[in-house]
Amino acid sequence: MERFYLDKSEIIEADGPTSIYIAGAEIIDAGVTINSMPVEYKDDEYQSYADNYDIHFIFDDDIPRVDFFTVPLVDIFATDSNGGFLGTIGCMTDFQSDAPICYIDDSRNCFIAAENGNNLIQKRSEWRNNLEKSADVNVFRTKADAEKNFRFISRDEIIRKMEAH
C-alpha cells in the first residue's frame, strides 16, 4: 500500500475536501492548522484557563503565527505564556475524541500533554507536570524540510487520482 502525506493546512486554506480516500493508498494528514473560536465565546471560564492554568484558548481576534510544520497534523487550539502551543495530534480538535494532545514548546520540541482533550481538561492544573517527549510528532522548520523525509501528495495529484477512478 502506498503512503502519502497530505498538507491539511493547504487543503483547508483552499476550502478543499477535509477527508480524502484513494484506493490502495494510506493518506496521513500533516501540517499545522489553527482551531480558533468566535470572539463571542470569550468568557470568564476561558479567562480562568489562561489565568490559572496557562492554557490560552485561541479566538478569532488573536490568531498566533506558527513558524513550524508537523507530521502528522497538529491542530492547535491554545497557546501558553512561554511561546508554546497545545494541539490535537492527527485530526481536528474535538475534546470528546480519543486523539492525544501535544505541547510544542518555544524550542519546537514536542511532548504528549494528555491522552485526549477530556483528560487535559480534567488534569488542567497539572498538565505541565505530565509532559512526555513525543516520538510520534515530527516538527520541522518548513514543509520543504518535511518533504525531504516524507512523500507528500499535492492537491493536483489528488484530483488526477480521483478522476482516474
Side-chain angles (χ1 to χ4, degrees), residues 3-12 14 16-22 26-33 69-74 90-92 143 146-147 150-159 161-162:
R3 177 180 286 175
F4 297 103
Y5 293 83
L6 177 67
D7 182 355
K8 194 75 164 213
S9 55
E10 181 180 275
I11 297 293
I12 289 174
T18 56
S19 296
I20 295 171
Y21 173 79
I22 298 173
E26 178 184 14
I27 307 294
I28 298 171
D29 292 336
V32 176
T33 53
F69 187 90
T70 62
V71 176
L73 170 76
V74 172
C91 63
M92 305 313 281
K143 180 182 176 185
E147 290 174 321
F150 298 97
R151 183 174 175 207
F152 281 79
I153 188 168
S154 71
R155 189 170 182 210
D156 292 340
E157 286 177 278
I158 293 166
I159 292 167
K161 287 183 181 288
M162 291 170 70

Side-chain angles (χ1 to χ4, degrees), residues 9 14 16 26-27 31 39 49 68 118 124 160:
S9 55
E26 178 184 14
I27 307 294
V39 176
Y49 274 88
F68 56 89
N118 190 39
R124 61 190 169 267
R160 283 194 302 275

Side-chain angles (χ1 to χ4, degrees), residues 5-75:
Y5 293 83
L6 177 67
D7 182 355
K8 194 75 164 213
S9 55
E10 181 180 275
I11 297 293
I12 289 174
E13 283 178 15
D15 284 332
T18 56
S19 296
I20 295 171
Y21 173 79
I22 298 173
E26 178 184 14
I27 307 294
I28 298 171
D29 292 336
V32 176
T33 53
I34 302 289
N35 192 314
S36 65
M37 293 183 278
V39 176
E40 56 266 17
Y41 288 13
K42 277 187 182 181
D43 63 15
D44 291 342
E45 183 178 1
Y46 285 115
Q47 189 59 49
S48 77
Y49 274 88
D51 295 342
N52 299 321
Y53 314 115
D54 202 17
I55 299 173
H56 304 257
F57 285 93
I58 299 171
F59 292 91
D60 291 341
D61 65 340
D62 192 19
I63 308 276
R65 186 179 142 297
V66 176
D67 61 355
F68 56 89
F69 187 90
T70 62
V71 176
L73 170 76
V74 172
D75 186 48

Side-chain angles (χ1 to χ4, degrees), residues 85-154:
F85 299 89
L86 283 158
T88 303
I89 300 172
C91 63
M92 305 313 281
T93 299
D94 175 356
F95 276 63
Q96 303 309 310
S97 80
D98 290 332
I101 304 299
C102 70
Y103 173 68
I104 299 174
D105 69 14
D106 64 337
S107 297
R108 302 310 172 237
N109 299 302
C110 185
F111 302 88
I112 299 298
E115 292 174 28
N116 54 48
N118 190 39
N119 180 261
L120 176 71
I121 297 303
Q122 288 176 353
K123 297 181 179 184
R124 61 190 169 267
S125 62
E126 57 198 52
W127 73 269
R128 285 190 192 281
N129 300 333
N130 299 318
L131 296 177
E132 294 180 23
K133 186 79 170 148
S134 172
D136 297 331
V137 177
N138 299 282
V139 181
F140 297 93
R141 269 186 342 101
T142 64
K143 180 182 176 185
D145 289 341
E147 290 174 321
K148 295 173 186 172
N149 297 290
F150 298 97
R151 183 174 175 207
F152 281 79
I153 188 168
S154 71

